[in-house]
């Protein structure tokens, strides 16, 4: 049994039957009869109840179980949870990882680093300043932390979602 | 005659210029920084020259490097686009010195219009209306009161030495004049040690309307009507349209004449724009001149049929304008939106990154000037504008409908864009009515924010999408392990069709 | 009011209609055959209904299936596009019977104009010029000679019972009249046992010029000027333009009036086209009426600003035309080319297959109405037209230059297309001069054939391209074996940047 | 040493030096200094002598050594010949394979088959009729042949370059 996580919910997904591109599938207790094709790479054309809709998607480069899905102006960040991952997740507790490091949602350049390894940083203080497209953003810690490791240096170009500073 | 043009720019404007070059049978030369080797303007040009590292002050802004590329390529002329060196008087002069045609005005015109005080004085001398106000600092309260009465309320009092809002007072009612002047003066004194003040007419919630002008080297100068540019966020234009929904033919003619007079006052050559601020009663005042092509020039092209880049090249060639003022007219209605890689829901933060999927709007009445392509990585070093979309229709209502359709048809994933925000602008009643000022975005912020909350069914389909793709990929991975190489598969499939594997 | 339209068509015209629906706030319903599940018109519509196997006589031509889809979807109206059921009187009637609005003319108009003889008689009654000639068979030589003298030379004598060129004689000179009539008669007698003949004015190397008309249900009818469609290959239009380079304002007005009279003669409703053949002296004769939207309608939209599909919907809604004849005018010049998946170098053989790479032309003055996308497999069951490209510019010369640019910018691999051929048409002196007739392609065939022989350097770069890609792929394949999964690679790269692998 | 075949020529290709996307390469005795990137999958942006050109390409699905390359209106069918393939080629002799079967350059549908296994077919006779997009094409043999095997039947949909009828 697979689940797909979106925000605070894990949706149970199950294929009830499949005949070529015609699929009957349940999401929690809601059942959909859909006709799905992939005319272009990363685009699903989906017909259901005779409605025609298009969903675009791509898996994240570093985790093929994490998806970005788009439809109209809407956007979802989803994660496929197979039994193995569910087990790991339950062991670690929620969001256990995320708060262990600072990262940015987008690529940019490190303008200034305000902490060094071993620093004790009080909640709310800025630890790093990143610029992207002429705009600078300050990244702060939300609780008291101790810096374990600084992975970048001033002037570095960084990717989005890349760990920058790791806390203990 | 110009046979080869170096375009000293990047992104959509470089390509837009090169398109006109292609149509005119002129070779185009691209320049590119380290971040732009894969940029579409490099791919689109006939030749391409590397000019330095990614930061623009080490590449696109380095006059020597641009000139060297022009010399190496044997370009006759340089088109600066907008931004970068387009309003740089030194660059205009340098081109001249090097015997390269600069497709733009003289350094004299750039300098005169580039300095606000000189520009204001030059316009006054040419009888172009400027915002009424003092040009010299005032210290005497009585004198200040007299001037305010002459200008008429409301006025803004500003500290002459100041900035940052200190010593600034808005006066709306006569009874407040004296107290406000006194307060401003003492605040100015305290803050800057100087109590001199300026007084300027305060234009309440103004419109920003500009006129396109075009002048040749033979003293001929025409205007190509107005563009309404009041939809702005932090003084950055977001949506432009022409004709302006508040314009009358009478005021248009008059403003057009003043725009031409403004251009002639600096012996202007080429395409330029006279910006005015306009109040609700269509009183208008010169704001500034942009001595270059504007981002929003295509809406003028759409209603007049004139290709402004081709005309710039003709003027640079020394040709006379091929039309007179009376040959020009506006047909229909055009709107432009600027699409940025930015996140409207996150304070319009720039959103560089890689374009994953791109479907550009096509069909009747749509012009799309962009430079991105699927897989393109929008660099973080430059302006986050990724395209401008222009629609034309017979009337304003049709143009708005068409723009909505175009925005709906524009599918782009991988980076956040301002498309959802632009859709909301098209839907806003103030915009639909054509009754908006530069306060429009601020005033309507609550209804302009995209509300992208999906419903349950949409989320279910998104969940299904991710899940099915995941399963498909798992399945493919297994198959790849089972069979080695696609060549084998092909023959297997062929055999299956025949029932037996024969070859 | 129409709220939902089923488009009984596929490909580019289905999408073109749906675009106008979107702009008008009308829901669109696609129908699709087995071959079209992945067609863009299915993806673009709000709803989609399967209507049968790939062959059109089992899907797009099956009235019952279309009607069922319309009923199931609750569509108020059906737009037939062009081709398929668009000129099918039975279908028009059936829609009416089922209470669905047919966006097109009545069966009466379709039938009357669909039958050549009836159409000819109806036009004569309405004083619309038809090709002069006899309407009844003639047996008497003397009568034949008299009629020929009345019609004027040259004439074509045709066997009344015949076909295939037997009993056919072209007469150019007076001295040949009697001998030719005699010869035709005896040849006809020998071939068909009947010596009756027809006589028709022979139009030497004619032009094909058509007029767009638009009529509402209230008796109002206007024309939207001409389209020059003489660039034809085997009676198939290839390039169209408006205005016609041979037209004068006087003849245009006169032909326009006749076009309106022709439409009124059958109580026409909606958009239609009156086709004329025209000789070099601008004598014109009714050829036929197309009782539907034409492929080439966008060039009319480009110069008049009228969205013909929106107007069709308005008329179907029972609304009155929103403009009168005197409100309409032509601005600038428009050209359309039809891009086919066919191989000009191989006798224009259709070239279905998969689109590998697609880059569509954008920028000023270009409208591209297509339906293909990268990865799309053009099915072999339908017309091989993949898109129509329309350019607009202020004058004809500008439009030709723009079209050349657009064709150059249009990059498409995987199937052969007519793009190289169309470029040659734009370059042909006869086309550039605007002096061409329906003989144009035949006459210029030698200069229209693409000469795609690469030079040594081009071939070297092609060789290098294949070689480098091959090496890159070999290298990647090796790397994939060495490392397992992209996730590891990511962290490895990240580690490298730091100098040590930390995570 | 690799060669690349185009029409009647085998071009010797050799990379003389490579530094990222800057490559010095020789084709026969002609040396090119090029700067090549792949901005989109299947598109090379090539700069040489400051000229900027684009070449599109794709390898054929059933043989990754066969390429179609496009530039402007020009098109090349190329084949990478590595030492192994060159050896095989020299053993078999030129074009030995091609004339053993009939195929079509494009996908279509089999309208009519005029021969059966074992038939002796004189040169110039039509053996199969294929339709694509409403147009029918007749395929003939150019010399006297004997039909070994008919791989398709009337009504079949076929791919381009698919063997249809094999001769002895």
């Amino acid at each position: 049994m697979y689940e797909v996580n979106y925000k605070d919910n894990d949706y149970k997904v199950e294929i009830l039957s499949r005949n070529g591109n015609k699929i009957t599938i349940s999401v929690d207790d809601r059942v959909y009869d859909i006709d799905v094709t992939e005319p272009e790479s990363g685009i699903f054309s989906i017909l259901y109840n005779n409605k025609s809709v298009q969903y675009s998607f791509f898996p994240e480069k570093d985790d093929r179980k994490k998806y970005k899905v788009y439809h109209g102006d809407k956007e979802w960040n989803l994660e496929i949870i197979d039994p193995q991952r569910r087990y790991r997740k339950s062991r670690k507790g929620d969001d256990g990882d995320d708060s262990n490091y600072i990262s940015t949602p987008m690529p940019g350049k490190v303008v200034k680093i305000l902490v060094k390894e071993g620093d004790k940083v009080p909640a709310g203080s800025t630890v790093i300043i990143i610029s992207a497209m002429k705009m600078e953003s300050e990244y702060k810690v939300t609780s008291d932390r101790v810096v374990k490791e600084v992975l970048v240096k001033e002037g570095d170009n960084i990717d989005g979602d890349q760990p920058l500073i790791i806390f203990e | 005659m110009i046979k080869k043009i170096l375009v000293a720019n990047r992104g959509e404007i470089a390509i837009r210029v090169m398109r006109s070059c292609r149509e005119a049978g002129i070779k185009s030369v691209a320049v590119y920084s380290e971040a732009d080797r894969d940029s579409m303007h490099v791919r689109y040009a006939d030749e391409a020259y590397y000019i330095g590292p990614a930061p623009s002050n080490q590449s696109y802004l380095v006059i020597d490097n641009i000139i060297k590329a022009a010399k190496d390529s044997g370009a006759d002329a340089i088109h600066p686009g907008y931004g970068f060196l387009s309003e740089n008087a030194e660059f205009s002069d340098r081109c001249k010195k090097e015997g390269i045609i600069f497709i733009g005005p003289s350094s004299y015109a750039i300098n005169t219009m580039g300095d606000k005080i000189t520009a204001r004085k030059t316009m006054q001398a040419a009888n172009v209306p400027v915002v009424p106000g003092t040009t010299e600092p005032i210290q005497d309260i009585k004198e200040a009161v007299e001037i305010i009465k002459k200008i008429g309320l409301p006025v803004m009092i500003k500290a002459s030495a100041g900035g940052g809002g200190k010593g600034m007072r808005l006066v709306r009612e006569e009874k407040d004049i004296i107290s406000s002047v006194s307060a401003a003066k003492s605040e100015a004194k305290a803050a800057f040690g100087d109590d001199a003040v300026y007084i300027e007419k305060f234009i309440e919630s103004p419109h920003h309307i500009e006129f396109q002008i075009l002048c040749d080297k033979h003293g001929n100068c025409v205007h190509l009507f107005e563009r309404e540019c009041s939809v702005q966020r932090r003084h950055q234009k977001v949506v432009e349209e022409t004709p302006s929904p508040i314009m009358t033919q009478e005021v248009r003619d008059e403003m057009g004449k003043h725009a031409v007079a403004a251009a002639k006052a600096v012996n202007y050559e080429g395409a330029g724009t006279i910006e005015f601020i306009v109040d609700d009663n269509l009183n208008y005042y010169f704001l500034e001149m942009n001595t270059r092509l504007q981002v929003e020039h295509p809406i003028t092209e759409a209603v007049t049929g004139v290709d402004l880049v081709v005309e710039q090249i003709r003027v640079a060639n020394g040709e006379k304008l091929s039309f007179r003022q009376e040959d020009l007219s506006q047909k229909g209605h055009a709107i432009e939106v600027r699409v940025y890689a930015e996140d409207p829901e996150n304070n319009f933060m720039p959103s560089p990154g890689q374009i994953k999927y791109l479907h550009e709007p096509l069909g009747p009445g749509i012009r799309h000037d962009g430079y991105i392509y699927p897989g393109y990585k929008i660099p973080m070093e430059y302006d986050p504008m990724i395209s401008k979309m222009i629609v034309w229709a017979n009337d304003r209502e049709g143009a708005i409908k068409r723009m909505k359709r175009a925005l709906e048809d524009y599918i782009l994933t991988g980076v956040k864009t301002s498309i959802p925000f632009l859709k909301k602008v098209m839907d806003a009643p103030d915009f639909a009515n054509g009754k908006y000022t530069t306060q429009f975005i601020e005033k309507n912020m609550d209804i302009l924010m995209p509300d992208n909350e999906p419903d349950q069914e949409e989320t279910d389909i998104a969940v299904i999408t991710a899940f099915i793709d995941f399963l498909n990929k798992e399945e493919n991975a297994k198959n790849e392990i089972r069979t080695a190489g696609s060549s084998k598969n092909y023959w297997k499939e062929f055999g299956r069709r025949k029932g037996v594997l024969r070859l």
Side-chain angles (χ1 to χ4, degrees), chain A, chain B:
Chain A
M1 167 68 92
Y2 282 94
E3 290 177 344
V4 177
N5 171 269
Y6 170 58
K7 287 189 174 169
D8 296 332
N9 289 314
D10 289 343
Y11 293 91
K12 287 187 185 59
V13 197
E14 197 174 358
I15 291 188
L16 305 176
S17 74
R18 176 163 195 167
N19 180 8
N21 51 309
K22 304 232 175 15
I23 299 177
T24 304
I25 191 166
S26 66
V27 181
D28 288 346
D29 52 352
R30 298 174 295 280
V31 175
Y32 294 88
D33 278 313
I34 65 170
D35 173 342
V36 56
T37 65
E38 189 173 359
E40 295 178 70
S41 173
I43 297 287
F44 275 176
S45 163
I46 299 175
L47 306 183
Y48 70 105
N49 300 334
N50 295 307
K51 267 193 277 191
S52 170
V53 292
Q54 273 196 184
Y55 279 69
S56 321
F57 58 88
F58 53 88
E60 293 191 14
K61 62 176 175 192
D62 56 329
D63 186 347
R64 67 199 168 76
K65 289 183 180 166
K66 281 188 176 162
Y67 275 83
K68 269 190 191 299
V69 178
Y70 298 81
H71 170 63
D73 294 339
K74 282 132 189 165
E75 192 182 322
W76 293 264
N77 287 300
L78 303 174
E79 185 178 353
I80 313 286
I81 304 169
D82 55 21
Q84 198 187 5
R85 189 171 286 216
R86 188 161 47 236
Y87 172 71
R88 274 208 310 270
K89 228 182 145 182
S90 68
R91 242 181 16 155
K92 283 195 186 174
D94 279 342
D95 310 319
D97 287 355
D98 288 359
S99 52
N100 276 335
Y101 61 83
I102 287 264
S103 69
T104 65
M106 57 176 181
K109 188 172 198 155
V110 179
V111 173
K112 205 162 178 54
I113 298 171
L114 300 144
V115 293
K116 59 179 194 303
E117 288 183 22
D119 278 6
K120 287 178 187 167
V121 192
S125 37
T126 300
V127 293
I128 192 165
I129 301 174
I130 305 296
S131 91
M133 290 168 149
K134 298 170 194 162
M135 192 165 163
E136 296 190 353
S137 311
E138 301 186 350
Y139 289 82
K140 299 171 199 295
V141 287
T142 50
S143 54
D144 296 354
R145 306 305 295 260
V146 174
V147 177
K148 186 177 177 193
E149 192 171 358
V150 180
L151 300 170
V152 288
K153 60 181 193 300
E154 290 175 9
D156 275 5
N157 289 318
I158 55 165
D159 290 338
D161 299 321
Q162 172 188 331
L164 304 173
I165 295 173
I166 297 182
F167 301 105
E168 279 176 2
Chain B
M1 291 294 278
I2 294 170
K3 290 201 174 63
K4 192 188 271 190
I5 292 176
L6 181 144
V7 183
N9 216 305
R10 64 178 299 284
E12 73 84 18
I13 189 60
I15 291 170
R16 190 265 165 273
V17 171
M18 290 175 192
R19 284 187 173 129
S20 283
C21 289
R22 275 204 186 176
E23 292 182 18
I26 293 169
K27 294 279 173 199
S28 55
V29 180
V31 290
Y32 65 98
S33 75
E34 215 167 290
D36 274 343
R37 170 63 184 86
D38 278 346
S39 184
M40 189 57 99
H41 78 280
V42 174
R43 298 167 58 188
Y44 194 78
D46 295 299
E47 300 179 24
Y49 287 78
Y50 172 76
I51 50 160
S56 41
N57 59 7
Q58 295 173 55
S59 50
Y60 296 105
L61 290 171
V62 182
I63 293 179
D64 282 343
N65 295 5
I66 308 274
I67 295 289
K68 183 175 186 309
K71 295 256 162 186
D72 288 349
S73 65
D76 318 294
I78 294 179
H79 194 299
Y82 51 69
F84 293 139
L85 295 171
S86 62
E87 294 182 283
N88 185 310
E90 187 194 336
F91 186 53
S92 171
D93 265 348
R94 178 70 185 280
C95 289
K96 202 172 184 176
K97 211 179 105 191
E98 302 278 355
I100 301 164
I101 297 169
F102 176 71
I103 302 179
S106 66
S107 60
Y108 165 71
I110 296 174
N111 277 330
T112 307
M113 287 304 195
D115 179 76
K116 304 259 167 190
I117 306 280
T118 317
R120 184 179 164 93
K121 286 182 179 163
T122 311
M123 290 305 100
Q124 281 177 309
N127 291 317
V128 177
V130 297
V131 178
T134 51
T135 40
E136 308 296 333
I138 303 164
Q139 264 155 328
D140 183 52
I141 290 204
K142 216 174 126 195
E143 195 192 337
V145 173
E146 262 168 43
I147 288 172
I148 290 172
K149 285 186 174 161
K150 216 173 81 190
I151 294 173
L153 290 171
V155 299
M156 185 66 87
I157 306 167
K158 294 177 182 173
S160 153
K166 286 251 160 47
M168 219 156 141
R169 278 290 182 288
L170 172 62
V171 191
R172 295 185 180 278
E173 293 183 45
E174 206 172 324
K175 66 176 172 59
D176 299 329
I177 294 178
I178 294 177
S179 61
S180 297
V181 173
S182 306
K185 282 172 72 68
S186 59
E187 209 172 288
K189 180 83 184 175
F192 315 108
D194 176 0
D195 68 349
V197 291
Y198 277 100
I199 294 156
E200 232 178 52
K201 175 103 186 157
F202 178 70
I203 314 293
E204 195 99 42
S205 191
H207 300 261
H208 176 123
I209 297 179
E210 59 187 29
F211 272 68
Q212 176 69 49
I213 60 95
L214 193 59
C215 308
D216 65 20
K217 294 175 193 276
H218 309 276
N220 302 303
C221 195
V222 298
H223 71 86
L224 291 95
F225 315 105
E226 82 278 14
R227 292 187 289 257
E228 167 73 61
C229 307
S230 300
V231 180
Q232 301 187 352
R233 200 181 64 81
R234 294 193 191 160
H235 302 286
Q236 182 76 38
K237 293 165 194 166
V238 174
V239 177
E240 303 96 353
E241 64 176 315
T242 183
S244 164
I246 63 162
M247 189 57 71
T248 66
Q249 191 54 47
E250 201 188 338
V251 174
R252 175 179 295 124
D253 291 342
E254 205 190 89
M255 286 179 83
K257 277 178 198 151
H258 278 132
V260 168
K264 283 191 165 175
V266 291
N267 300 319
Y268 199 78
E269 289 172 11
T273 296
I274 314 292
E275 298 194 335
F276 295 96
I277 56 173
V278 182
D279 70 18
D280 282 335
N281 302 314
L282 291 180
N283 298 306
Y284 57 91
Y285 310 98
F286 172 84
L287 181 64
E288 60 175 2
M289 178 169 192
N290 292 310
T291 55
R292 53 164 167 88
L293 201 66
Q294 304 270 95
V295 176
E296 60 271 26
H297 76 277
I299 56 174
T300 297
E301 297 183 324
V303 297
T304 64
V306 173
D307 184 320
L308 287 168
V309 173
V310 167
E311 297 304 326
Q312 284 187 303
I313 297 171
R314 283 188 186 148
V315 168
N317 255 330
E319 293 173 52
K320 284 189 180 172
L321 292 186
S322 57
F323 38 74
R324 290 155 308 171
Q325 190 64 54
E326 56 268 34
D327 299 327
L328 294 168
S329 63
Q330 295 167 292
K331 176 162 175 151
H333 197 96
I335 305 177
E336 175 183 278
V337 297
R338 303 183 183 195
V339 180
Y340 285 91
E342 63 185 13
D343 185 359
E345 288 175 279
N346 199 359
N347 199 23
F348 295 90
M349 186 135 84
S351 167
Q354 186 173 28
I355 308 293
K356 295 286 190 169
Y357 177 77
L358 175 65
H359 176 85
E360 298 183 85
L362 296 173
I366 293 177
R367 167 177 170 185
H368 192 213
D369 277 24
Y371 81 109
I372 59 169
Y373 55 82
Y376 180 62
K377 291 191 186 85
I378 300 173
M380 58 178 175
E381 283 85 1
Y382 312 111
D383 188 274
M385 191 173 91
I386 52 179
S387 71
K388 55 196 195 205
M389 187 146 61
I390 302 96
V391 299
W392 182 94
N394 250 347
D395 55 32
R396 188 168 188 270
E397 199 195 332
I400 294 175
K401 285 180 181 171
R402 188 156 280 170
M403 182 57 87
K404 284 192 207 175
R405 196 268 289 173
L407 289 168
E408 241 179 74
D409 287 2
Y410 194 174
I411 309 176
L412 189 162
T413 67
V415 300
K416 302 267 186 186
T417 74
S418 54
I419 293 172
F421 178 77
L422 295 167
K423 286 180 186 167
K424 292 284 179 183
V425 171
M426 292 298 126
D427 281 332
D430 282 356
F431 185 78
N433 301 333
K435 287 187 179 137
Y436 61 89
T437 68
T438 45
Q439 306 294 303
F440 167 76
I441 288 186
E442 205 175 314
K443 197 182 137 203
N444 287 281
M445 209 35 153
D446 50 332
I447 65 165
L448 295 177
M449 270 300 108
D451 50 344
N452 297 333
E453 216 37 58
D455 63 26
Q456 186 63 62
E457 193 172 287
E458 287 172 321
T459 295
D460 284 354
I461 302 290
V463 161
I464 289 170
T465 294
F467 182 62
I468 290 178
D469 183 66
F470 174 75
L471 288 190
N472 285 349
K473 292 219 168 82
E474 294 274 286
E475 192 64 26
N476 283 347
K478 278 183 208 150
N479 285 341
E480 258 172 48
I481 293 163
R482 273 201 294 270
T483 65
S486 60
S487 153
K488 247 182 207 165
N489 279 329
Y490 175 75
W491 289 107
K492 214 166 130 190
E493 190 192 350
F494 174 63
R496 255 202 306 275
R497 205 181 297 150
K498 283 285 301 167
V500 207
L501 186 65
R502 293 180 195 260
L503 281 167

